[in-house]
Amino acid sequence: MDPAAAAKEFPIPFLPTDGEILHCLLRPKIAGAYIDSRFTHLVHDADVFSLPPDQLAAMHAHAPGARGDKAWYFFSTRVGSGGRGRRVGGDGSKRWCPVGSKKELAGGGGYCQRFRYREKTATGVVAPGWMMVEYGVAQEHAVGDLVLCKIFRFPRSAHSDSKSPASASASIGRKRKAETLLCSDG
């Protein structure tokens, strides 16, 4: 489905809680059970670690968020880490780096982990402002497990396309109170 057409088809904000992501989307997908057809065009099957997030976002419809925010939801296979909890794909120059520790979701049975996207370039490491929240259900979180990943531009970086990579990196490196809300259940 054309990404623009999908956004028009679902005009209300898609703002699932962590519990809804776990119990209404991820667990049914793992079990091969029914997922409400109203949401199937908002959650895609893709390897989120194989492409940079801007390319992945250009290929798939986003879910409409509050205040025009955009987020992309993907079922993906969890890849091996590049050490220290990183998710590394492709040639290893692009990676998702953890932000904080894994959080057990309220009620148990699942976790979420926040990540920040970074790229190695000839001039250093650049953080272009992409964030990801990975949701999983496995106790040991083994490589190859199916996870659901929510990818979005960090709000401070959403309008930074005109900024230099260095300024985008600097803006993403600061602590933010909003990060504590990303993995809260409710």
Side-chain angles (χ1 to χ4, degrees):
M1 175 180 283
D2 173 37
K8 290 178 185 174
E9 185 177 316
F10 200 87
I12 62 172
F14 180 66
L15 304 169
T17 65
D18 292 343
E20 290 168 336
I21 286 174
L22 183 66
H23 299 295
C24 300
L25 296 170
L26 183 56
R27 284 189 181 277
K29 177 73 171 184
I30 291 170
Y34 173 79
I35 296 176
D36 191 322
S37 62
R38 294 176 296 166
F39 309 123
T40 55
H41 69 280
L42 297 174
V43 185
H44 314 285
D45 289 297
D47 179 358
V48 299
F49 307 103
S50 65
L51 291 173
D54 56 337
Q55 291 178 21
L56 195 61
M59 296 169 40
H60 298 281
H62 66 84
R67 300 177 316 275
D69 297 339
K70 297 177 184 177
W72 291 262
Y73 294 84
F74 298 98
F75 292 115
S76 186
T77 303
R78 186 174 183 272
V79 299
S81 84
R84 291 188 266 178
R86 295 183 193 124
R87 305 287 188 265
V88 179
D91 64 1
S93 67
K94 297 161 180 59
R95 59 187 61 206
W96 290 96
C97 300
V99 177
S101 59
K102 286 182 184 173
K103 308 279 190 225
E104 184 175 330
L105 297 178
Y111 74 92
C112 68
Q113 169 72 55
R114 292 175 287 133
F115 293 87
R116 175 181 318 144
Y117 181 74
R118 294 183 182 228
E119 296 179 358
K120 287 183 185 177
T121 66
T123 59
V125 177
V126 176
W130 287 94
M131 301 290 290
M132 176 176 72
V133 182
E134 176 186 275
Y135 295 89
V137 298
Q139 295 300 324
E140 295 301 318
H141 318 301
V143 171
D145 288 345
L146 186 68
V147 293
L148 190 146
C149 299
K150 174 185 176 184
I151 297 176
F152 57 98
R153 292 294 304 261
F154 188 75
R156 289 186 189 166
S157 301
H159 303 292
S160 68
D161 292 334
S162 62
K163 289 183 179 180
S164 70
S167 63
S169 178
S171 69
I172 201 72
R174 296 184 203 116
K175 288 190 175 185
R176 297 166 296 275
K177 291 180 184 178
E179 282 185 354
T180 60
L181 302 176
L182 291 176
C183 285
S184 63
D185 190 25

